[in-house]
Amino acid sequence: MAAISFLGDLLQSISDRGRGLIAFGRDDPAKASVAEVVKLCEDLISRRGEASGVALARIILDRYDSFGRADRHDFLRRIALDFGADHAAVEGAIAAYAKAPSRAALGRLHEAAEPRSQELIRRLNLARDGTIALVRMREDLFTLRDAARKADKPDPALAEAVESLDSDFEHLFASWFNRGFLVLRRIDWTTPAHILEKIIRYEAVHAISDWDDLRRRIEPPDRRCFAFFHPALLDEPLIFVEVALTTGIAAAIAPILANDRRPTDTREATTAIFYSISNCQKGLAGITFGNFLIKQVVEDLCREMPALKTFVTLSPVPTFRTWLDRERRADAPQGITRDDVETLRLLDQPDWHADKTKADAVKKALLPAAAYYFLRAKTPRGKPVDPVARFHLGNGARLERLNFLGDVSPKGLAQGYGLMVNYLYDLAAIEKNHETYANLGTVSASLTVNRELRQNLPPARSVALAEA
């Protein structure tokens, strides 16, 4: 960390010295308009001097940070539309390669085809704290993209340019946030308060109500929390996982989060339950961290506690309710029978889950529907509809168990009618499961889950859910 701080101080020194090498057309660059900042971006990618480039990058990022949302969108719109590749240069490079194919000619074609926005992003990253500024800038790009999609008169050229600019960010972030740069740190009650505050704020699965709630999750000896950090974002967690050490696979979240629970003696623990995984940086969407995080945490826990033999999740099912409601309304429902449709009308009654008779009736129809949802329902790309399922199955996990009323909180009922599932990370089968899922689309599931699936159902059709 001291070395990183030294590097940051060095960059700041270079930036301070470089400011004296820049000549501005106006006295105060801090008041530059959007158009003037775009011109500074043109100047940045044309400069060869390192010191002046670092200084100019910091000036651009500082001015961007001072903009309101409208000006930020205007800036990103201009960058997306005006900082593409030079089409004439691309055509010339294609012709040269076609005439005399060689690695050198191919390299020149690759260079010509790269959008200028990629080089701009690289150079902005030279500034101190440039990486986190660019992550935040991509968050603004997401809002611009959403606004463009919802416009009364969509602009196809803008939509294409924004998607291309986002691809530039994702391409570069995938390299900058390579697993080799990530640092795994345990989060406990001795972790600095400003980082703990971010854990509270970024928790996306089971909200942390206050500091006492956080303490119950990270201080007891049978609880763990781990996070990935990046050298360029020292105090900003990228992703974190909360773990409960138990003597068996949990079917519900309430006992894990209970205020008055009795801690498990870690000497007796045989199971590690990953009950919450939260991505912290919206601007890093599409960059994979979770698979590395889980595997690293499993390795660390195995070294610390060799008695641990079972590694499972207790996961939400975020799009199950949307899918099931759609099938309940369909003229030709899939995954559920006509009798199921009638039984599931009980879901429309308030507090149905608190009435044992109603809950038992719902369970008989809902679990077979859930089995179909995981094993048969697909997106147009042939992947499971549920985004959490795609994540864990892609990591080599097995769908182990369906847990009826595993989460009866308002959020759990709203997302999946209380359904939760366990994904099992069998260390001996992870690679095989990953390969069959990646290459064949096979959903690895336990015999228990497969038995819930009703027979003689109609062939599955692809569905597109807004959340998927």
Side-chain angles (χ1 to χ4, degrees):
M1 296 302 178
I4 296 168
S5 178
F6 169 77
L7 179 59
D9 292 340
L10 179 61
L11 286 174
Q12 185 62 49
S13 176
I14 292 173
S15 178
D16 292 342
R17 292 173 182 270
R19 286 175 181 265
L21 304 177
I22 303 174
F24 295 102
R26 58 186 303 157
D27 294 333
D28 188 1
K31 296 181 180 179
S33 66
V34 171
E36 289 169 332
V37 175
V38 171
K39 289 180 180 178
L40 292 180
C41 291
E42 291 277 7
D43 190 20
L44 176 62
I45 62 175
S46 66
R47 284 178 179 264
R48 295 183 181 274
E50 187 75 12
S52 61
V54 171
L56 187 53
R58 187 66 265 166
I59 289 169
I60 292 169
L61 292 175
D62 285 344
R63 183 58 180 136
Y64 177 86
D65 186 59
S66 71
F67 286 153
R69 170 172 288 192
D71 283 342
R72 291 186 181 193
H73 284 185
D74 187 19
F75 172 84
L76 291 170
R77 186 181 298 106
R78 291 169 185 254
I79 297 300
L81 291 170
D82 299 339
F83 280 67
D86 184 334
H87 293 284
V90 173
E91 291 175 0
I94 292 174
Y97 179 76
K99 183 177 181 180
S102 67
R103 291 188 65 177
L106 188 60
R108 288 190 288 272
L109 173 56
H110 175 77
E111 182 179 350
E114 181 181 274
R116 295 192 306 143
S117 50
Q118 281 197 29
E119 183 61 19
L120 173 62
I121 296 169
R122 289 193 193 96
R123 297 204 181 195
L124 290 173
N125 193 48
L126 293 173
R128 185 171 189 175
D129 299 326
T131 305
I132 186 62
L134 290 168
V135 171
R136 299 288 179 259
M137 186 180 291
R138 190 177 181 221
E139 294 178 12
D140 295 333
L141 185 64
F142 290 157
T143 63
L144 172 61
R145 180 191 62 191
D146 293 342
R149 289 174 176 175
K150 296 176 182 177
D152 294 335
K153 295 182 179 179
D155 183 343
L158 175 61
E160 181 183 12
V162 168
E163 291 291 346
S164 178
L165 180 57
D166 182 55
S167 295
D168 294 335
F169 274 104
E170 185 172 351
H171 171 72
L172 293 172
F173 285 171
S175 297
W176 299 347
F177 291 89
N178 180 282
R179 170 63 186 93
F181 297 124
L182 304 184
V183 178
L184 183 71
R185 291 163 59 183
R186 180 175 171 183
I187 304 297
D188 57 27
W189 201 240
T190 66
T191 299
H194 65 283
I195 294 179
L196 293 180
E197 188 276 333
K198 290 174 182 176
I199 296 296
I200 295 175
R201 175 155 39 100
Y202 290 142
E203 166 59 58
V205 184
H206 304 291
I208 300 173
S209 58
D210 52 31
W211 286 93
D212 289 336
D213 190 11
L214 175 65
R215 189 166 193 164
R216 287 190 291 269
R217 299 197 194 190
I218 65 175
E219 186 181 44
D222 63 341
R223 292 293 183 263
R224 297 288 189 277
C225 180
F226 297 90
F228 264 149
F229 291 82
H230 188 277
L233 286 72
L234 285 180
D235 296 331
E236 282 286 346
L238 306 181
I239 184 173
F240 64 90
V241 59
E242 296 169 66
V243 186
L245 304 177
T246 69
T247 56
I249 299 177
I253 191 62
I256 290 178
L257 301 179
N259 295 351
D260 56 352
R261 70 176 188 84
R262 182 177 179 180
T264 299
D265 187 334
T266 55
R267 294 172 298 181
E268 299 175 359
T270 60
T271 304
I273 301 175
F274 301 87
Y275 66 89
S276 179
I277 302 175
S278 298
N279 285 293
C280 306
Q281 309 299 328
K282 293 181 180 179
L284 294 177
I287 312 302
T288 301
F289 302 122
N291 55 346
F292 299 121
L293 176 66
I294 291 176
K295 292 171 184 176
Q296 182 73 58
V297 169
V298 168
E299 291 178 7
D300 286 10
L301 290 175
C302 283
R303 283 194 296 267
E304 181 187 354
M305 290 171 284
L308 290 176
K309 302 300 180 185
T310 305
F311 299 89
V312 297
T313 74
L314 182 58
S315 300
V317 191
T319 59
F320 178 62
R321 179 168 181 161
T322 300
W323 174 85
L324 185 60
D325 286 350
R326 175 178 294 182
E327 294 305 320
R328 290 170 58 200
R329 296 190 301 266
D331 294 332
Q334 294 188 316
I336 53 177
T337 66
R338 289 295 182 186
D339 288 341
D340 292 335
V341 172
E342 291 303 314
T343 299
L344 293 173
R345 291 184 187 278
L346 292 169
L347 295 172
D348 300 325
Q349 299 183 18
D351 297 327
W352 61 268
H353 60 283
D355 184 311
K356 186 177 186 306
T357 301
K358 294 178 182 178
D360 287 346
V362 167
K363 182 178 181 179
K364 293 178 181 179
L366 188 139
L367 287 184
Y372 184 95
Y373 170 80
F374 284 105
L375 300 177
R376 299 280 182 84
K378 304 292 183 182
T379 68
R381 295 184 179 182
K383 297 296 184 181
V385 173
D386 192 80
V388 177
R390 293 197 296 270
F391 171 75
H392 288 296
L393 295 171
N395 289 342
R398 180 176 77 205
L399 179 60
E400 187 68 7
R401 193 166 67 185
L402 307 175
N403 300 309
F404 181 70
L405 296 184
D407 183 1
V408 293
S409 68
K411 181 178 180 181
L413 291 169
Q415 285 188 332
Y417 288 121
L419 185 69
M420 298 194 81
V421 299
N422 301 117
Y423 295 97
L424 175 69
Y425 280 83
D426 181 347
L427 303 186
I430 284 178
E431 295 302 328
K432 177 184 176 182
N433 293 342
H434 167 74
E435 290 298 327
T436 56
Y437 174 79
N439 296 321
L440 304 174
T442 302
V443 174
S444 177
S446 68
L447 185 60
T448 302
V449 173
N450 277 285
R451 282 175 176 167
E452 292 288 355
L453 188 65
R454 295 200 190 283
Q455 303 303 313
N456 302 320
L457 290 169
R461 68 171 183 271
S462 66
V463 295
L465 298 178
E467 297 89 341

